[in-house]
Amino acid sequence: MQRVTVGRLQKMKREGKPIAMVTAYDFPTAQLAEKSGVDVVLVGDSLGMVVLGYESTVPVTIADMVHHTRAVRRGLARPLLVADLPFLTYHQGEQAALTAAGRLMQEGGATAVKMEGGRELAPTVAACVAAGIPVMGHIGLLPQAVHQTGYRIRGKSVHEVEQLQQDAEALAAAGAFALVLECVTEEVARAVSEAVAIPTIGIGSGRYCDGQVLVFHDLVRFSAGDFLPSFAKTYADVGTAVREGLTQYVKDVKSKRFPDSEHTFRASDELVQQLYGGERV
Ligand code: KIV
């Protein structure tokens, strides 16, 4: 088993080998991801929406991220473990970013951190990289800025395309080892991927990125709701399986079909004899 490193991901790009990345937020999901052969596991701050029930990623704290990153670390060995720096933990100066990233690595066990934003973050990325912290960038749709920019596809105007290109190049020059491209039109994601030497990992950004990432709960439809982003493909319908199982369990308990003798511990005949004179209750 060879651990995936940032160098290995960059080699995969050079060799044209696609990178598979998925989010995880807890120990069992990490164990399943480990067994799937995935290259990168991201403890995304999507945690806030898919696990903690918030309306956006904004309320997620560094303490939440450390807690969940630790759980994922315990279930993971081979894939590279990246953790998101949550809202406002890297906009208050390089020192604050270093402190937050340090917590994700030292307390959470992450190997790398991810931050959302463009060229304005280049000095922060460079400071982290200089301190030995591998940084994954994230451009395109920025969920942490939803209250300012909303959820909409990026790369639909010449201006936006120029901004994306400049952001990608500035982050790569600052030392980011990879870039997430979220909800960027396919043609633009392709041009950005060709322009930078570091791997691009797309989510809702078409076929020509160097890798793909999906949110675990979308990929296996682990939710009771009907909403699924249009770019997400369902590979397993866990939500339906869980709902059916739970409904059957409730029925069995109420009709006394569960537990049956197969799921029950029995006392020895000798003990039953001593206690109840041989009569099993
Ligand atoms: O938080 C997250 O899950 C992410 C992915 C969408 C890339 O940032």
Side-chain angles (χ1 to χ4, degrees), residues 23 25 42 44-46 84 114 138 180 182 203 213 215:
T23 67
Y25 315 96
L42 169 70
D45 60 354
S46 50
D84 261 339
K114 176 164 81 58
H138 182 150
V180 164
E182 180 161 357
I203 174 159
V213 56
V215 168

Side-chain angles (χ1 to χ4, degrees), residues 6-195:
V6 300
R8 170 117 166 240
L9 296 178
Q10 292 175 339
K11 185 161 176 267
M12 286 173 78
K13 170 163 181 146
R14 289 196 297 276
E15 293 174 351
K17 293 185 179 154
I19 296 165
M21 170 163 144
V22 69
T23 67
Y25 315 96
D26 58 25
F27 177 71
T29 314
Q31 285 186 309
L32 291 167
E34 173 82 33
K35 290 183 193 299
S36 71
V38 75
D39 302 301
V40 184
V41 168
L42 169 70
V43 185
D45 60 354
S46 50
L47 161 78
M49 298 173 79
V50 298
V51 174
L52 302 179
Y54 296 132
E55 277 190 4
S56 77
T57 59
V58 170
V60 176
T61 65
I62 189 73
D64 292 331
M65 290 305 301
V66 168
H67 180 72
H68 286 269
T69 304
R70 283 169 90 154
V72 170
R73 175 81 282 168
R74 289 193 282 268
L76 214 63
R78 182 189 162 274
L80 186 84
L81 175 53
V82 183
D84 261 339
L85 281 165
F87 183 65
L88 280 194
T89 56
Y90 52 101
H91 292 98
Q92 299 174 22
E94 289 160 22
Q95 192 54 52
L98 287 168
T99 303
R103 287 197 64 189
L104 291 178
M105 293 177 78
Q106 290 188 303
E107 297 174 44
T111 305
V113 301
K114 176 164 81 58
M115 48 181 92
E116 293 180 12
R119 70 207 97 126
E120 73 287 354
L121 284 182
T124 310
V125 171
C128 287
V129 172
I133 300 169
V135 178
M136 177 178 275
H138 182 150
I139 59 174
L141 191 158
L142 306 180
Q144 290 176 11
V146 60
H147 296 309
Q148 193 166 44
T149 53
Y151 295 112
R152 62 176 180 79
I153 311 303
R154 302 304 201 273
K156 287 188 149 185
S157 69
V158 174
H159 175 68
E160 250 180 35
V161 173
E162 285 169 2
Q163 301 287 306
L164 283 167
Q165 289 279 13
Q166 287 170 20
D167 287 341
E169 281 162 21
L171 292 167
F177 73 87
L179 273 183
V180 164
L181 302 185
E182 180 161 357
C183 291
V184 173
T185 52
E186 184 174 73
E187 298 77 2
V188 177
R190 181 181 199 166
V192 170
S193 303
E194 286 170 3

